[in-house]
Amino acid sequence: MQLIQTILVTFFAGMGAGLGTGFAGLSAAAVISPMLITFLGIDPYMAVGIALSSDVLASAASAYTYHKNKNLDVKNGLIMMAGVLAFTVVGSYVASLLPSATMGGFSVFMTFLLGIKFIVRPVMTTRESMLAVSAKKRAVQSLVCGVLIGFICGFIGAGGGMMMLLILTSVLGYELKTAVGTSVFIMAFTALTGAVSHFVIGGLPDLTVWALCVVFTLLWAQVAAAFANRAQPKTLNRATGVVLVILGAVIMGFNGIHERFYCS
């Protein structure tokens, strides 16, 4: 019975995380962590480690699919990633100096709102208009935005994929497929860094739960990435929006259940 419960929880956790990764470049931690904590009673620190490690393969495989379809900006992605990694540490340090700076619920609510934005106001930027920006300007923008994203993620403690998608589409003017491809490319490295640090500090997790989460997340991320790269822009915007709205609502629900029954 325990094994069946574990398989069901990890399947749906992996499905939500994989769809979020493949469609929108979101971190698997936003979906997997609350489900493992709520339904399997896994230690929160270890749940985040499992989620981040699940994100590594799923994001890397999704990035390969987007790259294969020429929907990945590797050069500016690396520049942005340098800013994200460096200033996540800075943001985390600043947050540690302030009382009650945890704002994880804010990032979940923003995921919900971002989904509505993609449905109501889809990103219809073309590849031609995106490439019209000079290479130097794009590089500077990528570094500045990477610094901003890293600081916010370090300060809030969550929301890296959501912040990248929002800034890549709304600030840097990326068309949606390239924005998601670049986001999952960056997330593969940031998730690897986070997962390694979690396991070095906290030790290895339950191997069954870990393996199931990695496999299910990878499977659904590939399904989502394959669909996204073939879809028309308007269809992709709507599909991405629906996925984000559902994930945001479900995660807020899981967080509410956990607070009510496990933290009272």
Side-chain angles (χ1 to χ4, degrees):
M1 189 66 184
Q2 180 65 36
L3 179 59
I4 294 175
Q5 181 184 1
T6 299
I7 293 173
L8 287 175
V9 170
T10 54
F11 175 80
F12 285 108
M15 180 171 66
L19 291 176
T21 298
F23 272 120
L26 295 187
S27 170
V31 182
I32 292 178
S33 300
M35 289 192 68
L36 295 185
I37 295 166
T38 303
F39 297 109
L40 296 181
I42 291 178
D43 174 75
Y45 189 85
M46 199 55 66
V48 172
I50 292 172
L52 288 171
S53 60
S54 300
D55 212 4
V56 175
L57 279 180
S59 293
S62 297
Y64 174 75
T65 300
Y66 279 93
H67 178 65
K68 191 169 60 175
N69 288 276
K70 300 183 178 4
N71 292 317
L72 172 57
D73 186 354
V74 175
K75 179 183 175 182
N76 291 300
L78 288 171
I79 294 172
M80 183 177 287
M81 181 172 64
V84 170
L85 291 175
F87 276 79
T88 295
V89 177
V90 175
S92 180
Y93 174 73
V94 172
S96 70
L97 302 177
L98 301 174
S100 303
T102 304
M103 297 172 64
F106 174 76
S107 67
V108 175
F109 183 61
M110 282 300 296
T111 298
F112 181 82
L113 292 182
L114 186 60
I116 294 176
K117 185 261 183 191
F118 279 120
I119 296 172
V120 176
R121 295 188 62 184
V123 177
M124 299 304 289
T125 307
T126 63
R127 184 185 297 275
E128 289 74 23
S129 62
M130 184 188 79
L131 295 176
V133 179
S134 70
K136 183 178 180 181
K137 183 179 179 180
R138 177 76 73 197
V140 172
Q141 288 178 326
S142 297
L143 180 59
V144 172
C145 289
V147 168
L148 177 63
I149 293 167
F151 182 82
I152 292 173
C153 293
F155 189 79
I156 293 175
M162 180 269 294
M163 284 297 302
M164 269 188 279
L165 184 63
L166 178 62
I167 288 179
L168 286 169
T169 54
S170 301
V171 179
L172 297 183
Y174 277 58
E175 55 96 19
L176 185 55
K177 291 181 183 179
T178 306
V180 176
T182 305
S183 179
V184 291
F185 172 70
I186 296 171
M187 288 302 296
F189 292 94
T190 56
L192 177 61
T193 303
V196 169
S197 64
H198 267 70
F199 293 153
V200 167
I201 295 170
L204 291 178
D206 182 295
L207 296 181
T208 302
V209 174
W210 186 17
L212 288 172
C213 283
V214 169
V215 170
F216 289 139
T217 304
L218 175 62
L219 172 65
W220 284 103
Q222 283 297 87
V223 170
F227 173 82
N229 279 279
R230 290 183 175 88
Q232 294 298 316
K234 199 166 187 178
T235 303
L236 179 57
N237 272 272
R238 287 176 177 169
T240 302
V242 169
V243 168
L244 290 176
V245 167
I246 292 174
L247 287 179
V250 169
I251 297 165
M252 283 189 283
F254 285 150
N255 287 341
I257 291 172
H258 181 259
E259 289 177 7
R260 181 175 179 182
F261 292 102
Y262 293 87
C263 299
S264 58

